[in-house]
């Protein structure tokens, strides 16, 4: 018998403990072990009942996603059969009780629903989150959940994927009883006693319980309408509804087949492969070559923020939300007051929208202390500098911080583009200097680029990576170069969007093409939102680095010269009304045509396909360089940056994953065409060329080749 499932006895009750750390995922071996243990316990006449429980911190978090990834990327297409296992459990002749603590998600929830009874600790969470991975429950979840919780709740849970608490599960009838205690710490003994009470009562097979199964055409129709309007990639959510409708209208033997068919179709879809990649890539981020998990982190108990502008105010909120006291400094009282007013306004909006309670907000506001003097930074453990973008400002601030802050305090900059090594050179503690690049609005956006400079110590990196988790951010370690990973690639995406307009495309057509591809907003709308002046200033600062004779976009510079900075001036690529609604501006179109004629740029019809290729492939080409230089550790790290900071559609997995989906040969060939037509800005990256010529993908590129950052 495998040690993945232990069988022990509590007198007449057989206890089956699933033990597959960290979260008891249902790999092939675990499923096999459960099956053998169930057979043994069911056939053991001296056992009157069975308790199924998880070891460690959870019942079961679901099917093994590493295994799904292997299956869908191989030719064999052998899908693990969990369906027959849950039916075998349900067919046991003696009562089976699932004892749930931690999580029962996906296949774990399906396993639990096949037991005859479920008990749970009050802190447990349950759910069918498969839809977030582009699949549907594949082991009877769409068949048993409506029988336990009713059709409407099952539709909601399977099509949206949000978990429910144990208390709600009890109220819905999914769980039979709540019991204090986790796992071995009390829950097991109580579950055993519960199982003993069930001995002698007829076993209740969930698949035969039809009392809550009434089909409800209105529920299905409303759910489908809502999914179609809200989700950009609705395949899995719609399939989940179809499978529940089948459960409500067909005999079980037929409807289970419907679920299986839909599950298989979803599992092999591009959306699901991309979403599972994203889930696993996010978990890889914490694994940093050369920095083992046991590198000690520096305790962070007090925080300083320099600059109470757009970013500084948001960053102060991020730390306060995590319960950390923050001192925030600006140059004068007026600037501080503006920053604090922004913070208060943002919190008030959160209370209005029901995200936070007033009490929570009051507590957070008490954690934020305004200051006009650097003396207040003497005892902070980390400072985030968020003053104007400009090397001179930053170096001045860092020199002062170095003198004021206690030894060992981390000095971090929120710069978007500047060289962190040069900033560090203003201090005598380069090992404690790094970039923490938050995204706007900092209190909302999940991404945090942690930028490692030459001298940054392992402890400082480990601290900031762990801190990112505490702050609720997705921290991605990147190397030091202009724009780091995200902005360096995005600059090319935005450049191409401008070129397209300069070559004759409509502003709205460019935005629509990229929106239809799945981006949260089109590139020109994003530019208006962020402020056209930011890029304008940046281009002026770095103009000396431009190669003479190489084409540069001019459209946004011209708009800025006219005072059109985007939403903040009610005009940019679009005009904006008092509700910040974008209105197409025919004047912009006329100017573009005039400026293009003056610059001698031939005008032509450009297809939506080319618009997408130009914008996305330019990023992919740069991504290949970034990987080759070791600025990103893994292809998946770049994808995480794009999914969490740039509105890239998660169902496409990120730009690098997407490139592999299209096929690198195809991407490379098209880039070569652009190179021929548009010149050196499109020179193919050597890594892209190499992989394409070898018939490989970015997934074949190993991070060991990356220069250690
Ligand atoms: N398969 C494989 N590994 C998994 C896993 C899974 N389903 N769920 C979590 N893990 C691994 C993670 O990769 C990570 O590994 P690492 O330590 O090597 O990096 C480890 O477990 C811990 O995960 P987290 O870092 O995410 O830990 P948290 O405590 O933050 O969250 C969790 C735990 C809430 C369980 C979260 O991991 C989660 O949401 N997991 C996925 C749940 C899910 O989607 N289940 C459905 C799977 S599909 C399915 O069951 C299909 C079925 O219908 C047939
Ligand atoms: P901002 O102009 O809104 O705010 C800067 C603030 O710093 C002002 O309040 C100013 O008074 C203050 N300041 C200037 N010198 C100071 C000093 N010596 N001491 C204390 N305060 C000082 O700028 P924003 O947009 O917040 O940007 C800050 C930094 O964050 C920049 O480096 C920028 O590149 C970066 N960043 C900006 C993003 C954005 O979308 N705005 C996104 C990510 C990074």
């Amino acid at each position: 018998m495998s040690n993945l499932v232990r069988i022990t006895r509590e007198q007449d009750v057989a206890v089956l403990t699933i033990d597959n750390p960290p979260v008891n995922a249902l790999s092939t071996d675990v499923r096999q072990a459960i099956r053998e243990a169930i057979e043994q316990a069911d056939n053991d006449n001296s056992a009157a009942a069975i308790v199924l429980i998880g070891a460690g911190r959870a019942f079961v978090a679901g099917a093994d996603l590493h295994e799904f990834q292997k299956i869908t990327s191989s030719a064999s297409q052998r899908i693990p059969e969990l369906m027959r296992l849950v039916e075998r459990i349900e067919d046991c002749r003696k009562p089976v009780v699932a004892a749930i603590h931690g999580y029962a998600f996906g296949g774990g929830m399906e396993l639990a629903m096949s037991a005859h009874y479920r008990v749970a600790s009050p802190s447990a969470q349950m759910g069918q989150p498969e839809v977030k991975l582009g699949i549907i429950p594949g082991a009877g979840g769409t068949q048993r959940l409506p029988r336990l919780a009713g059709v409407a709740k099952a539709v909601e849970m399977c099509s949206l994927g949000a978990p429910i608490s144990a208390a709600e599960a009890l109220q819905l009838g999914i769980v039979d009883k709540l019991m204090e205690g986790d796992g071995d710490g009390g829950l097991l003994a109580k579950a055993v006693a519960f199982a003993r009470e069930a001995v002698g009562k007829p076993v209740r097979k969930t698949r035969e319980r039809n009392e809550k199964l009434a089909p409800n055409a209105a529920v299905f129709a409303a759910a489908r309408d809502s999914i179609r309007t809200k989700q950009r990639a609705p395949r899995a959510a719609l399939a989940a509804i179809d499978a529940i409708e089948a459960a409500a209208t067909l005999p079980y033997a037929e409807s289970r087949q419907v679920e299986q068919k839909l599950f298989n179709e979803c599992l092999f879809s591009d959306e699901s492969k991309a979403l599972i990649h994203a889930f696993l890539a996010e978990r890889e981020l914490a694994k940093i070559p050369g920095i083992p998990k046991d590198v000690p982190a520096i305790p962070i108990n007090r925080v300083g923020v320099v600059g109470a502008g757009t970013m500084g105010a948001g960053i102060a909120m991020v730390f306060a939300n995590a319960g950390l006291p923050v001192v925030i400094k600006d140059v004068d009282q007026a600037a501080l007051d503006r920053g604090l007013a922004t913070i208060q306004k943002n919190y008030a909006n959160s209370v209005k929208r029901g995200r936070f309670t007033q009490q929570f907000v009051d507590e957070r506001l008490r954690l934020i202390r305004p200051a006009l003097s650097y003396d207040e930074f003497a005892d902070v453990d980390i400072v985030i500098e968020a003053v104007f973008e400009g090397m001179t400002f930053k170096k001045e601030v860092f020199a002062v911080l170095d003198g004021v802050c206690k030894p060992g305090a981390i000095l971090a900059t929120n710069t978007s583009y500047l060289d962190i090594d040069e900033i560090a050179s203003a201090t005598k503690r380069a090992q404690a200097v790094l970039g923490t690049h938050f995204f706007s609005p900092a209190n909302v956006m999940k991404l945090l680029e942690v930028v490692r400079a030459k001298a940054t110590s392992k402890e400082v990196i480990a601290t900031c990576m762990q801190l990112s988790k505490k702050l609720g951010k997705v921290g991605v370690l990147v190397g030091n170069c202009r724009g780091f990973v995200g902005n360096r690639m995005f600059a090319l995406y935005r450049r191409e969007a401008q070129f397209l307009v300069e070559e004759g495309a409509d502003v709205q057509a460019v935005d629509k093409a990229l929106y239809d591809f799945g981006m949260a907003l089109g590139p020109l709308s994003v530019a208006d939102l962020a402020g056209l002046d930011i890029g304008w200033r940046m281009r002026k600062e770095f103009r000396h680095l431009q190669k003479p004779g190489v084409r540069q976009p001019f459209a946004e510079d011209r708009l800025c010269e006219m005072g059109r900075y985007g939403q903040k001036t009610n005009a940019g690529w679009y005009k904006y009304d008092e509700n910040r609604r974008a209105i197409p501006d025919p004047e912009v179109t006329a100017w573009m045509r005039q400026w293009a004629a003056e610059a001698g740029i031939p005008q032509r019809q450009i297809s939506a396909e080319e618009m997408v290729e130009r914008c996305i492939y330019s990023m992919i080409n740069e991504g290949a360089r970034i990987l080759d230089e070791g600025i990103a550790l893994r292809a998946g790290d770049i994808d995480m940056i794009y999914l969490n900071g740039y509105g890239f559609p998660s169902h496409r997995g990120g730009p690098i994953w997407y490139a592999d989906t299209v096929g690198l040969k195809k991407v490379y060939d098209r880039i070569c065409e652009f190179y021929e037509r548009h010149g050196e800005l499109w020179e193919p990256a050597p890594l892209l060329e190499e992989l394409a010529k070898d018939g490989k993908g970015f997934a074949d590129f190993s991070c060991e080749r990356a220069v250690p950052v």
Side-chain angles (χ1 to χ4, degrees):
M1 176 68 55
S2 146
N3 55 7
L4 291 169
V5 177
R6 291 190 304 273
I7 306 188
T8 49
R9 282 297 283 272
E10 295 290 332
Q11 293 156 352
D12 56 340
V13 177
V15 176
L16 276 48
T17 306
I18 304 169
D19 191 0
N20 182 30
V23 291
N24 299 326
L26 296 169
S27 63
T28 303
D29 290 347
V30 171
R31 291 193 309 275
Q32 177 63 24
I34 298 174
R35 183 164 194 111
E36 286 170 17
I38 281 285
E39 291 294 351
Q40 189 178 320
D42 198 26
N43 292 326
D44 179 351
N45 291 335
S46 65
I50 301 170
V51 168
L52 198 53
I53 194 164
R57 60 177 168 127
F59 179 67
V60 167
D64 185 339
L65 294 171
H66 294 283
E67 210 166 67
F68 277 3
Q69 198 176 42
K70 274 196 208 111
I71 295 164
T72 53
S73 60
S74 76
S76 81
Q77 307 214 342
R78 202 180 55 81
I79 295 161
E81 245 293 21
L82 194 53
M83 184 69 109
R84 271 200 285 272
L85 172 63
V86 297
E87 285 169 352
R88 174 65 189 89
I89 294 172
E90 203 167 44
D91 287 339
C92 277
R93 287 154 297 183
K94 54 194 74 168
V96 181
V97 177
I100 302 166
H101 73 288
Y103 324 101
F105 285 161
M109 176 81 171
E110 293 170 301
L111 197 65
M113 288 193 296
S114 72
H116 306 126
Y117 300 92
R118 281 149 297 281
V119 296
S121 67
S123 59
Q125 287 189 300
M126 281 157 242
Q128 300 285 176
E130 287 90 339
V131 67
K132 294 184 179 169
L133 301 166
I135 52 179
I136 67 166
T142 63
Q143 308 298 299
R144 288 184 183 78
L145 191 54
R147 289 177 157 89
L148 292 175
V151 167
K153 190 68 191 176
V155 164
E156 180 194 312
M157 287 176 69
C158 294
S159 66
L160 301 181
I164 57 167
S165 65
E168 188 176 357
L170 177 72
Q171 186 229 325
L172 289 165
I174 298 172
V175 158
D176 299 290
K177 197 165 181 185
L178 297 191
M179 297 172 167
E180 289 292 340
D182 273 349
D184 292 346
L187 177 65
L188 176 61
K190 290 174 189 158
V192 165
F194 183 95
R196 209 166 271 136
E197 278 172 28
V199 174
K201 295 184 190 155
V203 291
R204 325 174 291 177
K205 294 186 189 184
T206 309
R207 68 178 189 259
E208 290 173 0
R209 293 173 60 180
N210 293 336
E211 65 271 17
K212 292 186 180 173
L213 205 53
N216 189 332
V219 166
F220 298 128
R224 285 187 180 107
D225 282 351
S226 160
I227 296 293
R228 284 198 189 100
T229 50
K230 287 192 193 136
Q231 293 192 14
R232 305 283 288 277
R235 178 204 293 259
L238 294 174
I241 299 169
D242 290 349
I244 294 169
E245 187 168 32
T249 50
L250 299 172
Y252 174 78
E254 283 173 45
S255 61
R256 78 186 275 287
Q257 305 284 7
V258 173
E259 185 194 85
Q260 287 284 276
K261 181 170 170 292
L262 291 167
F263 169 77
N264 292 349
E265 283 169 11
C266 289
L267 184 63
F268 285 92
S269 67
D270 282 345
E271 292 98 309
S272 167
K273 289 178 198 171
L275 290 163
I276 290 177
H277 154 70
F279 177 89
L280 295 174
E282 188 174 330
R283 270 112 201 122
E284 284 299 294
L285 294 173
K287 295 166 193 155
I288 301 162
I291 307 189
K293 275 202 166 144
D294 55 5
V295 168
I298 299 160
I300 302 291
N301 298 314
R302 282 171 203 287
V303 181
V305 174
V306 193
T310 310
M311 294 306 291
I315 293 167
M317 290 175 73
V318 170
F319 283 101
N321 289 345
L324 289 164
V326 190
V327 185
I328 182 165
K329 179 199 176 296
D330 211 301
V331 282
D332 54 34
Q333 193 60 45
L336 260 187
D337 289 347
R338 269 196 306 276
L340 290 174
T342 307
I343 293 172
Q344 271 156 353
K345 192 179 90 199
N346 288 343
Y347 274 133
N349 281 339
S350 298
V351 172
K352 220 187 282 166
R353 275 187 264 110
R355 185 168 168 235
F356 294 146
T357 62
Q358 189 59 49
Q359 189 197 343
F360 177 91
V361 164
D362 291 344
E363 284 164 16
R364 304 303 117 176
L365 284 170
R366 273 197 291 276
L367 287 171
I368 301 175
R369 191 156 50 89
L372 286 172
S373 158
Y374 280 109
D375 295 346
E376 310 272 348
F377 285 71
D379 65 348
V380 299
D381 303 302
I382 186 170
V383 183
I384 315 287
E385 165 278 312
V387 306
F388 302 131
E389 186 80 344
M391 189 52 89
T392 327
F393 298 122
K394 305 271 183 198
K395 283 172 90 168
E396 272 170 26
V397 171
F398 271 73
V400 176
L401 287 173
D402 191 34
V404 173
C405 295
K406 66 183 180 190
I410 298 173
L411 307 185
T413 171
N414 190 51
T415 179
S416 312
Y417 286 92
L418 300 174
D419 178 3
I420 317 272
D421 287 322
E422 193 177 340
I423 296 175
S425 73
T427 74
K428 293 188 196 67
R429 56 172 98 188
Q431 76 289 347
V433 176
L434 83 172
T436 48
H437 185 208
F438 289 83
F439 288 71
S440 181
N443 54 313
V444 176
M445 297 297 287
K446 296 279 280 179
L447 178 61
L448 177 64
E449 278 183 325
V450 175
V451 191
R452 179 180 200 169
K454 266 198 203 99
T456 317
S457 74
K458 290 180 179 181
E459 289 74 17
V460 167
I461 293 168
T463 303
C464 288
M465 291 301 286
Q466 287 177 28
L467 186 61
S468 65
K469 224 173 176 183
K470 182 164 183 192
L471 300 178
K473 301 291 175 196
V474 175
V476 186
L477 182 64
V478 300
N480 180 24
C481 64
R482 180 145 59 101
F484 318 123
V485 171
N487 283 347
R488 177 169 156 185
M489 287 166 64
F490 205 61
L492 306 195
Y493 170 85
R494 301 241 293 99
R495 177 195 77 197
E496 288 305 311
Q498 288 189 70
F499 280 167
L500 287 164
V501 179
E502 292 170 10
E503 289 165 30
D506 261 357
V507 171
Q508 293 139 275
V510 174
D511 272 350
K512 180 173 184 319
L514 274 303
Y515 178 83
D516 289 348
F517 170 78
M519 300 299 288
L521 263 185
L524 304 169
S525 296
V526 166
D528 271 358
L529 181 67
L532 302 186
D533 54 321
I534 294 180
W536 183 41
R537 257 188 264 128
M538 210 50 52
R539 281 189 294 278
K540 282 197 266 190
E541 173 139 0
F542 291 110
R543 195 138 281 165
H544 61 287
L545 299 176
Q546 283 172 10
K547 271 200 203 164
V550 176
R551 181 180 173 192
Q552 294 297 333
F554 56 74
E556 287 189 3
D557 290 355
R558 298 273 173 92
L559 291 171
C560 285
E561 284 157 16
M562 302 169 94
R564 297 180 69 119
Y565 292 174
Q567 289 198 14
K568 62 175 96 163
T569 55
N570 293 328
W573 284 105
Y574 296 86
K575 283 187 292 193
Y576 293 88
D577 66 13
E578 60 284 3
N579 298 317
R580 298 241 156 138
R581 238 192 332 253
I583 304 160
D585 189 346
E587 277 198 306
V588 170
T589 313
W591 291 324
M592 289 301 151
R593 300 297 75 93
Q594 185 197 323
W595 296 335
E598 286 162 10
I601 299 174
Q603 303 291 286
R604 63 195 177 90
Q605 289 283 327
I606 303 175
S607 69
E609 190 185 4
E610 179 179 337
M611 293 176 192
V612 170
E613 287 169 341
R614 292 268 297 275
C615 292
I616 304 290
Y617 290 6
S618 60
M619 286 203 291
I620 294 170
N621 203 28
E622 197 62 17
R625 289 203 170 87
I626 282 172
L627 272 176
D628 216 5
E629 292 166 20
I631 293 292
L633 281 173
R634 288 161 286 242
D637 289 19
I638 299 180
D639 291 332
M640 285 304 100
I641 287 173
Y642 268 81
L643 297 191
N644 291 290
Y646 291 86
F648 200 93
S650 52
H651 66 272
R652 295 200 191 268
I656 303 297
W657 179 266
Y658 173 69
D660 278 356
T661 317
V662 174
L664 286 199
K665 173 82 175 67
K666 197 171 158 208
V667 173
Y668 170 71
D669 286 349
R670 195 74 171 122
I671 285 177
C672 289
E673 283 172 41
F674 293 146
Y675 185 31
E676 231 161 62
R677 198 192 307 158
H678 301 286
E680 70 179 276
L681 292 174
W682 278 96
E683 185 178 2
L687 176 65
L688 177 67
E689 180 168 349
E690 181 190 319
L691 292 171
K693 287 190 171 158
D694 291 349
K696 292 184 175 162
F698 285 118
D700 301 306
F701 175 73
S702 141
C703 84
E704 279 138 43
R705 257 196 56 184
V707 182
V709 268

